[in-house]
Amino acid sequence: MSSEGYYIGIDVGTGSVRAGLVKPDGSIAAISTEATQTFRDPDDHRIFEQSTTDIWNGIGKTIKTVLKEANVTPEQVKGLGFDATCSLAVTDTNGDPVVVTGGADLGQNGDRNIILWADHRAEEEANLINGTGSKVLDYVGGVMSLEMEIPKTLWLKRRMKPELFSRCQFFDLPDFLSYRATGDNTRSTCSVTCKCSYVPDLGWQPDFFTKIGLKEFVDNNYKQIGGADGNILTAGLPVGHGLSKRAAEELGLLPGTPVGSAVIDAYAGWLGTVAARFTENGKLSDFVPSLNESRHRLAACAGTSTCHIVQSKEGVFVNGVWGPYKGAVFPGWWMNEGGQSSTGQLIDFMIKTHPAHGQLQQLAQDKNTSIHEVLHKELHKLCAEYKVESFTELTKDMHFYPDLHGNRSPIADPRMRGSLVGLALDDGLSDLARKYNLTLEAIALQTRHIVDEMNSKGHAIQSIYMSGGQAKNSHLMQLFADTIGIPVVLPKSSGAAVVLGAAMLGRFASEAGKVGKLTEEEQCEALWNIMVYIYIFNERARRGVLLKLHAGRHDAYGCAGRTGRKPQGEAVA
């Protein structure tokens, strides 16, 4: 492998764009983040929309910033890769954005052209799809989520003028970014299989689209959604001829710079973590993981929501868990994806809507610490005051069900709602701390529910590899280890893990472009070697924390050991 040059990973999350400039050994030379805008409807809480123009402008700003900070020239960038949320991006046939907001402007050209993953407007359309009995449902856990792209596309079809709908192209957002960067419309296996109802080994299902009212896709050979005749790319394969002249000028890079086929953001988190080695008690493990070891490592990408991804050699069908998806990252391998629609968002909601939020913010500012640390100390103080040994015992008379935004896995019912039992006439900081702990415990217990369901159907998950902002919450991470009963491995930098996964796609595109067509086996070996190579030769940059199960876990609660003891061990992740 070449040891020269740099690679750029672009991560488009729910609220920001992040670019990472990565050295060949996996260390981050520079990283930059730019906020993106989400449009809400004050009269409809289900609506979440964004703009590809806004996102692309943010990508350009962050790339130029990292190049400047690291004093790197465009010639030194050898490849780049994209990941993004699984949101529906809509353009016309020229690639110009098309408005997705209901009303008079629907279908016209305009900037609000993304239905965000969290948007729940397409409930009726999802119900129609779930009543078809189609084989596509077998590959999404038996129930298609209203968060996926086909229900949203059908929502648009039912409301948009036919002549406007017929000129639209529909993309999962990662594929749009590849298209915008290269001008090449070849879709990724990750996006079309995981979010657009493309059936492994069989492709698009004409009877399915005809039955739900999207027969035009069949009639025009799927030109509006791509992937006709199996023309899709697994993760990291070169897209087209690299950066177009237009995109290169906008991003401050060179035309022809290789672009790797994109993945959904959670899958970039998987790429950026599961090949990790770890240290325990200061000693680096001698074990170098093989691709087969990935079967035992669940990657949890935890930000606004949480996705739980595990790979297997054969397809495993789990009710209420998306997949199995074939070739989403590695050709010939299958992946399942569990999820919680609202986790980081839920924590923020529970904190920000509490009357003591202002007091909490002031205390955190006065003590120059995070609000989570203030709440954690308050819980310790309450335990001492009430002479109880754990946070669980402190909140034993309060009960919280956390599906305020529906249940994604494994119940798979977006209509579910949350509840809180055991309220008192208390609106102070101590009440907020209790409710904060209840929220974390509920998230941890739901994670256990997902892992247990996966393992009961044939997976063999033995550890969890974290990425995303929640990995910074040590209390929550220890709850995962205690509740699920398996080690949790944290990256040194929670945000960099996803960017690193995206950069790996750019590196693979650069390397694959030099050697020509690869067999599936060669492709698997090459991509896994890139993942492992970074971890072996960049131990200092990748060192993180391994959280192990505390002694005395109480199965009746699925949790214990919550007295604030320090995490055990060190890790490379």
Side-chain angles (χ1 to χ4, degrees):
M1 293 182 181
S2 170
S3 60
E4 300 175 355
Y6 294 80
Y7 305 91
I8 293 178
I10 304 295
D11 168 40
V12 179
T14 299
S16 65
V17 170
R18 180 178 290 132
L21 184 66
V22 180
K23 297 178 182 179
D25 66 359
S27 57
I28 306 292
I31 196 163
S32 175
T33 302
E34 187 79 17
T36 53
Q37 186 172 5
T38 298
F39 304 98
R40 301 297 309 277
D41 184 336
D43 299 319
D44 190 343
H45 72 276
R46 302 172 303 169
I47 303 300
F48 294 78
E49 296 173 352
Q50 292 186 333
S51 163
T52 57
T53 301
D54 177 51
I55 287 170
W56 189 255
N57 288 340
I59 290 172
K61 290 177 183 177
T62 56
I63 289 178
K64 291 171 184 176
T65 297
V66 296
L67 293 178
K68 182 177 180 180
E69 286 183 1
N71 195 27
V72 168
T73 66
E75 290 81 5
Q76 292 175 277
V77 177
K78 304 303 181 184
L80 71 158
F82 296 93
D83 76 74
T85 64
C86 48
S87 303
L88 180 68
V90 185
T91 74
D92 62 19
T93 53
N94 296 320
D96 295 323
V98 169
V99 172
V100 296
T101 308
D105 292 334
L106 180 65
Q108 303 292 337
N109 288 108
D111 282 341
R112 285 176 61 164
N113 69 318
I114 294 174
I115 302 180
L116 191 67
W117 65 268
D119 189 295
H120 278 196
R121 72 182 70 181
E123 181 177 343
E124 182 179 336
E125 288 72 23
N127 289 339
L128 183 153
I129 290 169
N130 287 321
T132 63
S134 171
K135 70 178 63 177
V136 305
L137 301 177
D138 295 339
Y139 294 89
V140 291
V143 179
M144 184 171 292
S145 170
L146 79 177
E147 295 178 1
M148 291 186 171
E149 311 308 9
I150 298 305
K152 292 172 179 174
T153 301
L154 184 58
W155 186 93
L156 294 171
K157 162 70 185 298
R158 289 175 151 191
R159 291 159 178 81
M160 197 181 290
K161 293 178 181 178
E163 64 272 19
L164 296 179
F165 187 84
S166 65
R167 72 185 185 121
C168 289
Q169 298 185 91
F170 303 94
F171 298 87
D172 194 38
L173 184 54
D175 280 350
F176 170 80
L177 297 176
S178 297
Y179 168 68
R180 183 66 175 78
T182 66
D184 189 291
N185 208 347
T186 306
R187 308 300 176 97
S188 67
T189 307
C190 188
S191 279
V192 299
T193 302
C194 298
K195 305 303 172 187
C196 301
S197 305
Y198 188 95
V199 176
D201 297 326
L202 297 175
W204 299 124
Q205 300 298 294
D207 58 336
F208 168 69
F209 285 109
T210 299
K211 193 168 187 177
I212 67 173
L214 289 171
K215 187 175 184 295
E216 54 265 66
F217 289 177
V218 180
D219 295 339
N220 63 34
N221 197 28
Y222 308 102
K223 71 176 184 180
Q224 291 177 270
I225 55 174
D229 305 316
N231 183 28
I232 54 178
L233 298 172
T234 49
L237 285 175
V239 180
H241 301 290
L243 281 181
S244 67
K245 181 179 179 181
R246 174 191 176 193
E249 290 175 351
E250 292 167 337
L251 302 182
L253 298 170
L254 295 183
T257 302
V259 175
S261 182
V263 296
I264 297 161
D265 52 356
Y267 291 78
W270 183 91
L271 279 160
T273 55
V274 296
R277 298 165 73 195
F278 59 83
T279 63
E280 189 170 3
N281 298 321
K283 182 180 179 183
L284 179 66
S285 167
D286 293 328
F287 178 70
V288 178
S290 66
L291 179 56
N292 190 58
E293 176 65 18
S294 67
R295 299 185 302 114
H296 305 301
R297 300 181 172 194
L298 180 137
C301 187
T304 304
S305 62
T306 301
C307 297
H308 312 82
I309 298 172
V310 65
Q311 184 165 255
S312 58
K313 191 56 182 171
E314 303 296 333
V316 178
F317 292 82
V318 186
N319 292 338
V321 171
W322 295 344
Y325 302 133
K326 189 176 184 181
V329 176
F330 281 87
W333 285 74
W334 298 74
M335 303 183 94
N336 285 90
E337 179 186 346
Q340 295 159 283
S341 293
S342 182
T343 51
Q345 180 187 51
L346 176 65
I347 295 168
D348 287 346
F349 177 83
M350 295 297 289
I351 292 173
K352 290 178 179 178
T353 58
H354 195 281
H357 177 231
Q359 179 188 357
L360 173 65
Q361 285 184 303
Q362 188 61 53
L363 282 170
Q365 181 177 332
D366 293 345
K367 297 177 183 296
N368 193 27
T369 189
S370 72
I371 58 174
H372 303 101
E373 185 61 29
V374 172
L375 290 170
H376 199 231
K377 288 182 178 179
E378 179 68 16
L379 287 165
H380 278 295
K381 187 179 82 172
L382 290 169
C383 283
E385 180 181 341
Y386 287 92
K387 297 180 173 55
V388 296
E389 294 184 356
S390 71
F391 300 162
T392 299
E393 189 175 357
L394 182 68
T395 56
K396 64 185 177 69
D397 295 324
M398 300 177 74
H399 308 280
F400 178 51
Y401 188 77
D403 283 335
L404 276 66
H405 200 53
N407 183 281
R408 187 186 297 172
S409 299
I411 300 172
D413 188 346
R415 299 168 301 173
M416 295 190 74
R417 292 295 178 261
S419 64
L420 182 58
V421 178
L423 295 175
L425 283 173
D426 186 353
D427 62 0
L429 185 65
S430 62
D431 182 68
L432 174 52
R434 287 184 173 94
K435 289 174 180 173
Y436 170 72
N437 181 66
L438 282 175
T439 305
L440 299 192
E441 289 192 354
I443 291 169
L445 287 165
Q446 282 199 326
T447 304
R448 174 174 172 171
H449 191 189
I450 292 167
V451 172
D452 285 351
E453 191 68 21
M454 285 179 164
N455 282 342
S456 72
K457 295 300 191 296
H459 285 294
I461 298 165
Q462 298 173 358
S463 55
I464 298 178
Y465 284 69
M466 298 296 306
S467 61
Q470 290 178 51
K472 294 182 288 189
N473 189 324
S474 60
H475 177 42
L476 178 60
M477 295 301 101
Q478 189 65 61
L479 278 173
F480 284 170
D482 291 345
T483 304
I484 304 165
I486 56 179
V488 174
V489 182
L490 311 182
K492 177 182 175 65
S493 172
S494 60
V498 182
V499 165
L500 181 62
M504 290 175 182
L505 303 174
R507 178 164 185 172
F508 182 76
S510 177
E511 300 290 343
K514 297 173 185 176
V515 299
K517 188 172 178 61
L518 299 170
T519 66
E520 284 193 358
E521 184 176 349
E522 290 170 337
Q523 190 176 331
C524 289
E525 181 181 6
L527 182 55
W528 186 258
N529 283 345
I530 287 173
M531 295 165 67
V532 172
Y533 174 86
I534 285 174
Y535 292 121
I536 291 175
F537 293 101
N538 190 31
E539 293 161 9
R540 181 181 299 275
R542 299 300 303 148
R543 185 164 297 153
V545 177
L546 172 69
L547 299 182
K548 296 176 67 179
L549 175 67
H550 278 147
R553 181 172 65 89
H554 196 301
D555 282 327
Y557 287 97
C559 48
R562 299 172 187 175
T563 55
R565 288 172 286 182
K566 293 182 179 179
Q568 304 172 23
E570 290 284 317
V572 175

